[in-house]
Amino acid sequence: MPVAPLSLAPRRDDVLVMKFGGTSVGDPDRIERVARHVAAAKAQGFKVCVTVSAMAGETNRLVELTERLGGGDVSRDPDYDAVVASGEQVTAGLLALHLRHKGHAARSFQGWQAGLRTDEAHGAARIAHLPQDHLMASMERGEIAVVAGFQGATKDGRISTLGRGGSDTTAVALAAALGAARCDIYTDVDGVYTTDPRMVPNAKRKPMLAYEEMLEMASVGAKVLQTRSVGLAMTYGVPVRVLSSLGEPEETGDGTLITSEEAMMEHEVVTAVVPSRGEAKISLLGVPDTPGRSAMIFRLLADAGVNVDMIVQSAARQNTQANMSFTLSEKDLHRAQEKLTLMKDAIGFDNIDFNQNVAKVSVIGIGMKSHAGVAAKMFEILAERSINIENISTSEIKISVLIEADYTELAVRALHEGFGLSGTPG
Amino acid sequence: MPVAPLSLAPRRDDVLVMKFGGTSVGDPDRIERVARHVAAAKAQGFKVCVTVSAMAGETNRLVELTERLGGGDVSRDPDYDAVVASGEQVTAGLLALHLRHKGHAARSFQGWQAGLRTDEAHGAARIAHLPQDHLMASMERGEIAVVAGFQGATKDGRISTLGRGGSDTTAVALAAALGAARCDIYTDVDGVYTTDPRMVPNAKRKPMLAYEEMLEMASVGAKVLQTRSVGLAMTYGVPVRVLSSLGEPEETGDGTLITSEEAMMEHEVVTAVVPSRGEAKISLLGVPDTPGRSAMIFRLLADAGVNVDMIVQSAARQNTQANMSFTLSEKDLHRAQEKLTLMKDAIGFDNIDFNQNVAKVSVIGIGMKSHAGVAAKMFEILAERSINIENISTSEIKISVLIEADYTELAVRALHEGFGLSGTPG
């Protein structure tokens, strides 16, 4: 869990942090609409701090330029950060200009101007310090403080960027540092759903979710929020609301509030069913069953930057050999195969097998903590549809199964129905 | 003359400042070529500090976004600067990345990181302070210091931009602060010519020019360097060389060195013939010849932001009235006419007349200081071609005449020939 050493400000009911992603600020019309959302929050009496991403497509354009001129991936280079951070700087300046044009006091802050200090891990920096004084002074003067997301500066004064999910992380860190009542994250969906609405038309928006639930959902592939920002929100107890920027302020619903388990009135056993595509499975057959063999395999993969999940080991041939299978991201499959094949003799397995035609389906719910029988019910629901389970992994509030990809929609619909999520809104 | 309070470093023969404009860094291929120019200078033993403009077109794109979202011209707004300065930041980062990719130590500096402090005049800031320590430390470590041009920060830590010609000005200020042996300004021409080569095919490149000559040439419309940067170079005695970035380093000629009058071996009487289009002429007929009347007229125009030039007043009607004419930039004509017409009664003139079909042609040469008869010769050359002179203005080293626009090329060729510029290179 990422923990930034922020000095938590006392909670203030009149401070709101708002965050708008790349799609929400993708063109001038959309930036104008963002300004209307911000003005509406200000009109409700909030002191507002806004943080923005680069205009959609801009970061990719800049990254491509760095790759072209840097001769490949240079995302760990300080000059990469100097180039890429400019995208958020532009959006922040434009939003501040437009707010002022519409009669609202406002000013933009780049990461370093807001005092956001990071470590030296360029391209994937962690927030080291975020004081509240500059921003709070601006807000106390009646200004809307517009902060370029995704970036900060090292103690040597070089620009750094926070890597994937950096703008969400900036927003949550700002909310913690300013003691904001809430962090509103505007995106292109109007909240978090019980499952993918494209797959299950009667999926329901969740009015509330516990941090842990959102974390598990993010970790199995729900794209709404980055794991890192949810972890930070949980650590500092920042209430986060996910809502849509695609309509006008008056059309915006309540979204989904992500908060602590204690703050929630009641818990359902299962909150959401999350499908995850882009999975692959590797099986190693006939691995000698001697101590240290699995460690060797997974160290090899870790060193190659491959994350594995859902590891299953089963005995084979009178317990002198084992079969081992695990899942990984489809994009890492080729690299993992290559590494393992090179080490075939050292590891001593007989055969390697892989399968890209798999999908992971997870059921998540904080109520599972105190509720037995969820796994049994899940397996029964799938068995009734003759869906075969290849691997299983569980956490305290999540059960994931690996199934044949063709059955994904069927499984998701059956579980959504079977756990009562298609009925009344949760 | 703009004078920046720089602390002049002692001149060091091993330090070179290089500047590349927007066309020179207009695409990735060109940035790669710029890197080869920089590497070639480094290979000659120089400690190199490079400053760059935004990629051609980028500043316009950003300015349009600020106008769209700011509701018009917002170029005096600090957030305008925050947006627009990002263009140079990107180029500086990309050049540093590419230099390192090619094996040369390098790092980028944004204006504020280089310590370039300006006044608070956002959009057209003046350099207030530029220390040499950060950059010199980088160069002493063997790095090529790549500085984003055109920008700095105010003492409150807000980004500022230097306005028109800002990147040339940054380059000259860097050269002064670092005590550079020379400031090489790469552009899309290979030097300064005796006249416009598109008009006079046998125009010659000048190997050397005095600051005063370059200043006069810039002020009458030669586009090679901005007046402001030449003034700064003259103030601090920085030798400036203009040369082309369009070829490879080995193809680059010697360009034109702009230096002090004293450093030049000999002075020609006339160095260059400079045509200037885009001029217009306003005549006010029957202005009452009473004290303070001209002051009233030119104060009115100055307050409207109209620069006037070549003022001629002649007596009319037994010295109780005068006719007055002056030239101005064509783009200001409409505004000036409007203001004057509104004040017709207050000023008391009979009639206003204007002419857009005029051109200014100037001959320039530091040798004029000690050489009489240049004006007479100029008028004779024009008279021989039956070219009528409408207005005249002179400075110590320049004579400008206003003529009918259709005769521009004829006049320029005749003067270029007549003053011996078409013969051997100067």
Side-chain angles (χ1 to χ4, degrees):
Chain A
M1 204 55 44
V3 176
L6 304 171
S7 32
L8 254 188
R11 188 64 54 82
R12 292 180 56 153
D13 285 344
D14 61 342
V15 172
L16 181 68
V17 171
M18 306 173 81
K19 183 259 171 176
F20 296 88
T23 317
S24 304
V25 295
D27 60 41
D29 286 336
R30 291 186 174 202
I31 294 175
E32 290 177 5
R33 191 163 56 201
V34 162
R36 292 194 289 275
H37 280 281
V38 172
K42 175 106 182 155
Q44 286 171 31
F46 281 114
K47 293 181 170 50
V48 182
C49 174
V50 198
T51 181
V52 286
S53 301
M55 294 168 80
E58 188 59 11
T59 302
N60 286 346
R61 183 182 76 87
L62 294 167
V63 169
E64 277 164 25
L65 282 170
T66 65
E67 288 173 352
R68 164 70 198 275
L69 286 157
D73 177 0
V74 286
S75 60
R76 295 297 174 263
D77 191 306
D79 286 311
Y80 167 94
D81 282 349
V83 171
V84 172
S86 69
E88 282 73 17
Q89 171 181 341
V90 167
T91 322
L94 292 175
L95 179 57
L97 281 171
H98 188 66
L99 283 166
R100 209 150 47 252
H101 172 48
K102 291 297 175 184
H104 309 285
R107 68 161 282 191
S108 74
F109 292 84
Q110 295 178 37
W112 64 273
Q113 291 173 320
L116 197 159
R117 218 178 62 219
T118 73
D119 62 15
E120 323 283 313
H122 285 281
R126 298 250 164 225
I127 298 175
H129 185 60
L130 177 49
Q132 59 155 278
D133 45 355
H134 294 325
L135 297 174
M136 199 53 98
S138 166
M139 288 155 73
E140 294 287 7
R141 282 194 300 271
E143 293 167 357
I144 295 162
V146 185
V147 181
F150 179 65
Q151 62 182 274
T154 66
K155 70 172 170 356
D156 295 338
R158 300 214 69 177
I159 304 290
S160 50
T161 65
L162 307 183
R164 264 175 81 80
S167 290
D168 286 351
T169 304
T170 302
V172 173
L174 286 168
L178 296 170
R182 206 172 61 231
C183 179
D184 282 357
I185 297 196
Y186 285 79
T187 171
D188 50 1
V189 294
D190 66 351
V192 183
Y193 276 71
T194 49
T195 192
D196 184 344
R198 285 165 304 185
M199 213 173 261
V200 183
N202 66 356
K204 302 273 181 276
R205 179 175 55 77
K206 301 292 298 179
M208 266 189 156
L209 272 180
Y211 294 120
E212 292 86 343
E213 291 171 321
M214 191 68 234
L215 267 181
E216 291 285 7
M217 291 176 74
S219 73
V220 296
K223 295 274 186 288
V224 184
L225 286 178
Q226 289 285 336
T227 316
R228 188 173 165 194
S229 58
V230 184
L232 195 63
M234 185 163 79
T235 305
Y236 287 103
V238 175
V240 172
R241 200 164 61 135
V242 173
L243 58 184
S244 166
S245 72
L246 298 184
E248 293 299 324
E250 58 278 12
E251 299 160 358
T252 304
D254 293 330
T256 297
L257 184 68
I258 300 154
T259 183
S260 66
E261 192 184 338
E262 297 73 35
M264 294 179 67
M265 297 297 286
E266 55 178 321
H267 313 303
E268 284 162 289
V269 177
V270 168
T271 292
V273 179
V274 185
S276 168
R277 310 257 197 186
E279 304 276 330
K281 176 179 171 179
I282 286 183
S283 301
L284 299 176
L285 307 177
V287 183
D289 194 9
T290 52
R293 206 56 61 145
S294 339
M296 185 192 282
I297 294 169
F298 294 110
R299 165 55 51 204
L300 177 75
L301 293 167
D303 289 348
V306 175
N307 279 316
V308 302
D309 186 24
M310 303 185 99
I311 303 167
V312 172
Q313 182 170 331
S314 58
R317 277 211 215 153
Q318 288 93 28
N319 293 333
T320 62
Q321 287 191 328
N323 295 335
M324 184 172 285
S325 80
F326 54 87
T327 62
L328 71 171
S329 171
E330 207 169 358
K331 68 174 172 41
D332 292 337
L333 180 61
H334 181 71
R335 193 151 31 115
Q337 264 186 290
E338 216 170 48
K339 293 282 176 195
L340 287 167
T341 306
L342 274 173
M343 295 290 283
K344 184 168 187 285
D345 292 341
I347 302 170
F349 59 86
D350 293 339
N351 239 315
I352 182 169
D353 208 18
F354 68 95
N355 185 359
Q356 286 177 268
N357 189 32
V358 290
K360 185 162 67 182
V361 176
S362 310
V363 299
I364 292 167
I366 207 153
M368 283 189 206
K369 281 187 189 178
S370 54
H371 212 95
V374 176
K377 183 164 179 188
M378 183 179 190
F379 303 157
E380 282 162 15
I381 292 169
L382 296 174
E384 275 166 29
R385 273 77 176 180
S386 306
I387 299 170
N388 191 40
I389 298 171
E390 302 197 15
N391 288 28
I392 299 169
S393 76
T394 61
S395 80
E396 204 182 14
I397 64 165
K398 179 197 75 177
I399 305 167
S400 299
V401 296
L402 194 73
I403 61 173
E404 201 179 314
D406 297 345
Y407 290 95
T408 311
E409 300 208 355
L410 177 62
V412 169
R413 285 191 196 129
L415 292 168
H416 196 261
E417 184 70 34
F419 281 108
L421 298 174
S422 301
T424 51
Chain B
M1 203 56 45
V3 176
L6 304 172
S7 33
L8 254 188
R11 189 63 55 84
R12 293 180 56 152
D13 285 344
D14 60 343
V15 172
L16 180 68
V17 171
M18 306 172 83
K19 183 259 170 177
F20 296 88
T23 317
S24 304
V25 294
D27 60 41
D29 287 335
R30 289 185 175 201
I31 295 175
E32 291 177 4
R33 190 164 56 202
V34 162
R36 292 193 288 276
H37 280 280
V38 172
K42 175 105 182 159
Q44 285 171 32
F46 282 113
K47 292 180 169 50
V48 182
C49 174
V50 198
T51 181
V52 286
S53 300
M55 293 168 81
E58 187 59 11
T59 302
N60 286 347
R61 183 182 77 87
L62 293 168
V63 169
E64 277 165 26
L65 281 170
T66 65
E67 288 174 351
R68 164 71 197 273
L69 286 158
D73 179 0
V74 287
S75 60
R76 294 297 174 263
D77 191 305
D79 286 310
Y80 167 94
D81 283 349
V83 171
V84 172
S86 69
E88 282 74 16
Q89 171 181 341
V90 167
T91 322
L94 292 175
L95 179 57
L97 279 172
H98 188 66
L99 284 166
R100 209 151 46 251
H101 172 49
K102 291 297 177 184
H104 308 286
R107 69 161 281 191
S108 74
F109 291 84
Q110 294 178 37
W112 64 272
Q113 290 174 321
L116 196 158
R117 217 177 63 218
T118 73
D119 63 15
E120 323 283 313
H122 284 280
R126 299 249 163 227
I127 297 175
H129 185 60
L130 177 49
Q132 59 154 279
D133 43 358
H134 294 325
L135 297 173
M136 199 53 97
S138 165
M139 290 154 73
E140 295 286 6
R141 282 195 299 272
E143 293 167 356
I144 295 163
V146 185
V147 181
F150 178 65
Q151 63 184 272
T154 65
K155 70 172 171 353
D156 295 337
R158 301 213 67 177
I159 303 292
S160 50
T161 66
L162 307 181
R164 264 175 82 80
S167 290
D168 286 352
T169 304
T170 302
V172 173
L174 285 168
L178 296 171
R182 207 173 60 231
C183 178
D184 282 357
I185 297 195
Y186 284 79
T187 173
D188 50 0
V189 295
D190 67 350
V192 183
Y193 277 70
T194 49
T195 192
D196 185 345
R198 287 164 303 183
M199 212 173 262
V200 183
N202 65 358
K204 300 274 183 276
R205 179 175 55 77
K206 301 291 299 180
M208 264 187 157
L209 273 179
Y211 294 120
E212 292 86 345
E213 292 171 321
M214 191 67 234
L215 265 182
E216 292 284 8
M217 290 176 75
S219 73
V220 296
K223 297 273 185 289
V224 184
L225 285 179
Q226 289 286 334
T227 317
R228 188 173 165 196
S229 59
V230 183
L232 194 64
M234 185 163 78
T235 305
Y236 288 103
V238 175
V240 171
R241 198 164 62 135
V242 173
L243 58 185
S244 166
S245 71
L246 299 185
E248 293 299 324
E250 59 278 12
E251 300 161 359
T252 305
D254 293 332
T256 297
L257 184 69
I258 300 153
T259 184
S260 66
E261 191 183 339
E262 297 73 34
M264 295 178 66
M265 296 297 284
E266 56 177 319
H267 312 302
E268 283 163 290
V269 178
V270 167
T271 293
V273 179
V274 185
S276 167
R277 308 258 197 186
E279 304 275 331
K281 176 180 171 176
I282 286 183
S283 301
L284 298 177
L285 307 177
V287 183
D289 194 9
T290 52
R293 207 55 62 146
S294 341
M296 185 192 283
I297 295 169
F298 294 111
R299 165 55 52 203
L300 177 76
L301 293 168
D303 289 348
V306 175
N307 279 317
V308 303
D309 186 21
M310 302 185 100
I311 303 167
V312 172
Q313 181 169 331
S314 58
R317 279 213 213 151
Q318 287 92 27
N319 294 334
T320 63
Q321 288 193 326
N323 295 335
M324 182 171 287
S325 80
F326 54 87
T327 62
L328 70 173
S329 172
E330 208 170 357
K331 68 172 171 43
D332 292 336
L333 180 60
H334 181 70
R335 190 150 33 114
Q337 264 187 288
E338 217 171 46
K339 293 281 173 196
L340 288 166
T341 306
L342 274 173
M343 296 290 284
K344 184 169 188 284
D345 292 341
I347 302 170
F349 59 85
D350 293 337
N351 239 318
I352 182 167
D353 208 20
F354 68 95
N355 186 358
Q356 287 178 267
N357 189 31
V358 290
K360 185 161 68 181
V361 175
S362 310
V363 299
I364 292 166
I366 206 151
M368 283 188 206
K369 280 187 189 178
S370 54
H371 212 95
V374 175
K377 184 165 177 186
M378 182 180 192
F379 304 156
E380 282 161 15
I381 291 169
L382 296 173
E384 276 166 28
R385 272 78 175 180
S386 307
I387 298 170
N388 191 40
I389 297 172
E390 301 198 17
N391 288 28
I392 298 169
S393 76
T394 60
S395 79
E396 205 182 14
I397 66 164
K398 179 198 72 178
I399 304 166
S400 299
V401 296
L402 195 74
I403 61 173
E404 201 179 314
D406 298 345
Y407 290 95
T408 311
E409 300 209 354
L410 178 62
V412 169
R413 285 189 196 127
L415 293 167
H416 196 259
E417 185 70 36
F419 282 108
L421 298 175
S422 302
T424 52

